[in-house]
């Protein structure tokens, strides 16, 4: 039955065209913004997850910067400790040479004193951004460096907890005080005593340098892990929210074709009542 009051064909065609236009607008927005889920209204669950992950990504990027600063601080202290080991080795050579009776002990002691001063200078200078891991800088106790290494979240809505890496200071000022604790050499007997003392200092310096080297390696490894973790999280967020451009392009072409067909269908439906005029001629 054809009615001049209700054009059901036009109504169906109009509804189809409206739906196609809505989908076409969505496809165009996805392509122009590059985001399949750009707002909570697009997909509330995915949007919430992606925003939580994005906040964690921002946190890990800050952690990465913290690790870089910590690694640089430890690297400076490690270089200083290794240099101190070299200077103590040179002092040990001088002390060994002073074991003989027919040497100038005064000149040897003078060389030892200069190298001792150099060790003290290295200890004082081995600081980065105000942190010196070779000396105590706060009320007579060895300091430590705490570097934020990770944020651990339990569950999607859990509160993240921070995990630091603590680097203990070596306090070389107290433990390697050559000026106060190393015997002044005036003869071969003093040299024998000094040899035992320098061995203890050398052992302390070597152990300290090794500890700093291990700490530096740990910070470097953690930095690499955080960098890879951040990249993985970014790829995860991208897979959830970014537009698949190949799929969106194909869908856009299909919707444009559907739009043209819907317009044509609506035009045909609107022209149907005109055929009724033929019945009254």
């Amino acid at each position: 039955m054809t009615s001049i009051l209700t054009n059901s064909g036009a109504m169906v065609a109009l509804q189809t065209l409206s739906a196609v236009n809505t989908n076409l607008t969505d496809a165009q927005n996805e392509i122009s913004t590059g985001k399949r889920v750009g707002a909570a209204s697009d997909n509330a669950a995915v949007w919430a997850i992606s925003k939580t992950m994005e906040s964690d990504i921002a946190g890990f990027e800050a952690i990465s910067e913290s690790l870089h600063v910590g690694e640089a601080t430890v690297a400076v202290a490690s270089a200083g400790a290794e240099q101190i080991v070299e200077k103590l080795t040179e002092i040990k050579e001088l002390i060994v040479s002073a074991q003989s009776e027919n040497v100038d002990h005064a000149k040897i002691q003078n060389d030892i004193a200069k190298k001792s001063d150099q060790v003290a200078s290295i200890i004082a200078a081995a600081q980065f951004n105000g942190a010196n891991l070779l000396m105590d800088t706060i009320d007579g106790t060895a300091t430590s460096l705490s570097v934020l290494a990770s944020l651990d979240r339990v569950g999607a809505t859990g509160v993240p907890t921070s995990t630091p890496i603590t680097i203990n200071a070596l306090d070389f000022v107290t433990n390697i005080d050559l000026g106060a604790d190393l015997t002044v050499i005036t003869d071969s007997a003093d040299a024998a005593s000094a040899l035992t003392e320098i061995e203890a200092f050398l052992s302390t310096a070597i152990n300290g340098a090794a500890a700093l080297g291990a700490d530096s390696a740990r910070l470097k490894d953690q930095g690499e892990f955080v960098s890879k973790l951040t990249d993985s999280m970014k790829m995860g967020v991208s897979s959830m929210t970014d537009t698949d451009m190949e799929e969106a392009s194909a869908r856009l072409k299909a919707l444009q074709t559907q739009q043209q067909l819907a317009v044509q269908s609506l035009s045909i439906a609107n022209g149907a009542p005109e055929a009724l005029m033929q019945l009254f001629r």
Side-chain angles (χ1 to χ4, degrees):
M1 181 186 75
T2 302
S3 171
I4 62 172
L5 299 178
T6 304
N7 189 338
S8 59
M11 293 172 61
V12 172
L14 184 60
Q15 291 173 356
T16 301
L17 179 60
S18 178
V20 170
N21 285 340
T22 299
N23 291 335
L24 186 60
T25 299
D26 291 341
Q28 290 172 333
N29 287 338
E30 289 181 17
I31 292 173
S32 61
T33 62
K35 285 287 187 181
R36 178 170 55 86
V37 180
S41 58
D42 296 330
N43 188 320
V46 171
W47 182 85
I49 294 172
S50 67
K51 288 304 176 182
T52 299
M53 292 183 67
E54 285 175 359
S55 70
D56 286 346
I57 289 170
F60 278 111
E61 288 177 341
I63 288 173
S64 182
E65 293 296 327
S66 175
L67 286 169
H68 288 325
V69 174
E71 186 179 347
T73 303
V74 175
V76 169
S78 180
E82 291 176 7
Q83 185 67 24
I84 289 171
V85 169
E86 292 183 10
K87 292 302 174 184
L88 291 177
T89 300
E90 293 173 4
I91 292 174
K92 178 181 177 180
E93 292 175 356
L94 291 170
I95 293 174
V96 170
S97 67
Q99 301 291 315
S100 302
E101 293 288 347
N102 58 339
V103 294
D104 191 335
H105 292 95
K107 289 183 179 179
I108 291 176
Q109 177 57 41
N110 184 59
D111 288 345
I112 291 174
K114 291 184 181 299
K115 292 184 183 298
S116 297
D117 291 341
Q118 181 63 27
V119 168
S121 297
I122 293 171
I123 293 173
Q127 63 87 25
F128 182 86
N129 196 30
N132 191 328
L133 295 175
L134 298 186
M135 61 186 298
D136 55 5
T137 56
I138 302 176
D139 60 29
T141 60
T143 59
S144 62
L145 177 69
S146 182
V147 181
L148 184 59
S150 180
L151 287 175
D152 302 327
R153 182 189 297 276
V154 179
T157 59
V159 177
T161 57
S162 60
T163 301
I165 293 177
T166 301
I167 313 299
N168 293 321
L170 301 178
D171 194 10
F172 276 5
V173 172
T174 302
N175 298 327
I176 307 179
D177 189 354
L178 301 179
D181 298 331
L182 184 62
T183 299
V184 176
I185 297 175
T186 58
D187 53 33
S188 58
D190 292 336
S193 299
L195 182 59
T196 301
E197 295 163 355
I198 199 64
E199 281 290 351
F201 292 141
L202 192 55
S203 178
T204 298
I206 291 173
N207 291 337
L212 288 173
D215 290 331
S216 179
R218 182 184 179 189
L219 290 174
K220 181 179 180 181
D221 291 343
Q222 183 66 19
E224 291 176 354
F225 166 72
V226 169
S227 177
K228 292 179 180 179
L229 178 61
T230 303
D231 290 343
S232 297
M233 293 177 69
K234 287 180 179 179
M235 288 188 290
V237 172
S238 174
S239 66
M240 288 191 298
T241 62
D242 291 357
T243 301
D244 184 339
M245 299 303 290
E246 293 83 356
E247 184 272 338
S249 176
R251 181 154 49 89
L252 180 65
K253 287 293 185 181
L255 288 170
Q256 288 174 338
T257 300
Q258 293 175 32
Q259 183 186 51
Q260 294 172 5
L261 291 174
V263 170
Q264 185 66 28
S265 176
L266 180 60
S267 177
I268 293 172
N270 286 334
E274 296 180 2
L276 294 175
M277 299 298 296
Q278 300 297 326
L279 300 176
F280 298 97
R281 289 182 179 176

